[in-house]
């Protein structure tokens, strides 16, 4: 079920604040999907999902391989009969301010602050579609 990004329900948004382990799907250069668990935060006002990770991770390599316009990705979470998927264009952000903001958002959602990591980057997904039954 598709949702209007301008009118996401409070229940749908609250689902993205719960302590759940979503998955991120990127595409390898051969077109096959790479699906991995991630911590993600969603800012509906900005229509941006954020993921913190290492700069040498496969998901980062897949996104960078797509070129400067970014990569089409999906992030999904499931809890029994409830589910939600955000699709959009992912880009890798390396600037300290963007990474620190993503770490702060992660700490709020997951109630723990990750250890400092000089290799940390942020995957920023500009959300273009929301689906689910949350």
């Amino acid at each position: 079920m598709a949702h209007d990004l301008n009118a996401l329900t409070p229940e749908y948004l609250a689902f993205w604040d719960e302590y759940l382990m979503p998955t991120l799907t990127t595409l390898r250069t051969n077109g096959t999907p790479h699906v991995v668990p991630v911590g993600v935060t969603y800012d509906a006002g900005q229509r941006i999902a954020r993921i913190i990770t290492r700069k040498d991770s496969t998901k980062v390599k897949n996104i960078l391989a797509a070129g400067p316009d970014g990569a089409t990705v999906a992030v999904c979470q499931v809890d029994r009969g409830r589910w939600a998927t955000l699709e959009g264009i992912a880009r890798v952000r390396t600037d300290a301010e963007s990474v620190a903001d993503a770490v702060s958002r992660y700490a709020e959602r997951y109630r723990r602050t990750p250890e400092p990591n000089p290799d940390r980057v942020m995957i920023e997904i500009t959300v273009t579609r929301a689906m689910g039954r949350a």
Side-chain angles (χ1 to χ4, degrees):
M1 170 200 282
H3 294 275
D4 180 349
L5 288 172
N6 293 315
L8 295 173
T9 66
E11 294 82 11
Y12 188 88
L13 295 174
F15 189 56
W16 282 104
D17 287 335
E18 291 182 29
Y19 194 115
L20 296 169
M21 186 61 62
T23 59
L24 172 70
T25 302
T26 59
L27 296 178
R28 297 180 182 96
T29 55
N30 68 3
T32 61
H34 173 73
V35 183
V36 293
V38 294
V40 64
T41 62
Y42 180 52
D43 182 327
Q46 294 181 338
R47 293 187 184 169
I48 293 176
R50 294 171 177 86
I51 298 165
I52 55 175
T53 190
R54 295 178 336 276
K55 66 182 178 185
D56 63 347
S57 68
T58 299
K59 55 190 159 288
V60 167
K61 290 175 185 174
N62 290 344
I63 293 165
L64 293 175
D69 291 335
T72 301
V73 301
V75 64
C76 180
Q77 63 185 22
V78 177
D79 182 40
R80 299 182 188 219
R82 300 180 307 149
W83 65 277
T85 298
L86 301 171
E87 294 179 355
I89 303 299
R91 293 177 182 83
V92 177
R93 303 288 184 219
T94 59
D95 64 284
E97 185 177 330
S98 294
V99 173
D101 178 54
V103 168
S104 175
R105 291 169 187 268
Y106 176 97
E108 184 176 332
R109 179 177 182 185
Y110 293 100
R111 298 179 288 283
R112 72 171 198 83
T113 302
E115 294 292 323
N117 181 345
D119 293 329
R120 182 171 288 132
V121 297
M122 186 258 286
I123 296 172
E124 180 181 275
I125 303 167
T126 303
V127 175
T128 57
R129 184 175 178 172
M131 298 173 292
R133 292 190 186 280

